[in-house]
Amino acid sequence: MISLQNICPRCLIEASGADFDLTEYMDRIDPELRTPDDLYAERLKICQECERLNAGLCRGCGCFVELRALTAANSCPYEKW
Ligand code: SF4
């Protein structure tokens, strides 16, 4: 379980040091459905600067942004990407 205490609200999960690994879930996403690497990085950069990011979670939709951004067809619920 992720503790939200003392975690920078602008950090993604790895940067926050939270003891949670999304790799297993991310590996299950079909390669054909994945966001291209450059666009994925761009999406996460926007999330890192967003006031709704908290410990890797989007407070707007409740998703782990690293998972949401990895599927090409997904979008930001606030149309930032
Ligand atoms: S998905 Fe959108 S609203 Fe949520 S943290 Fe990222 S940029 Fe912000």
Side-chain angles (χ1 to χ4, degrees):
M1 177 121 192
I2 295 174
S3 168
L4 298 182
Q5 291 184 330
N6 301 322
I7 294 176
C8 172
R10 294 184 181 275
C11 293
L12 299 181
I13 291 174
E14 183 178 340
S16 76
D19 185 20
F20 189 86
D21 184 5
L22 283 179
T23 307
E24 182 180 333
Y25 299 96
M26 295 168 83
D27 287 347
R28 291 184 193 162
I29 297 176
D30 187 330
E32 293 180 8
L33 302 177
R34 287 176 178 248
T35 306
D37 290 347
D38 55 344
L39 181 56
Y40 182 63
E42 190 177 308
R43 288 177 171 186
L44 293 186
K45 186 174 186 302
I46 293 169
C47 289
Q48 284 177 304
E49 296 170 355
C50 179
E51 70 282 0
R52 292 187 179 88
L53 183 68
N54 189 330
L57 288 165
C58 172
R59 288 182 296 186
C61 65
C63 287
F64 287 106
V65 295
E66 286 159 281
L67 272 178
R68 187 180 187 90
L70 190 56
T71 299
N74 286 345
S75 61
C76 165
Y78 290 87
E79 300 180 354
K80 292 188 173 191
W81 50 261

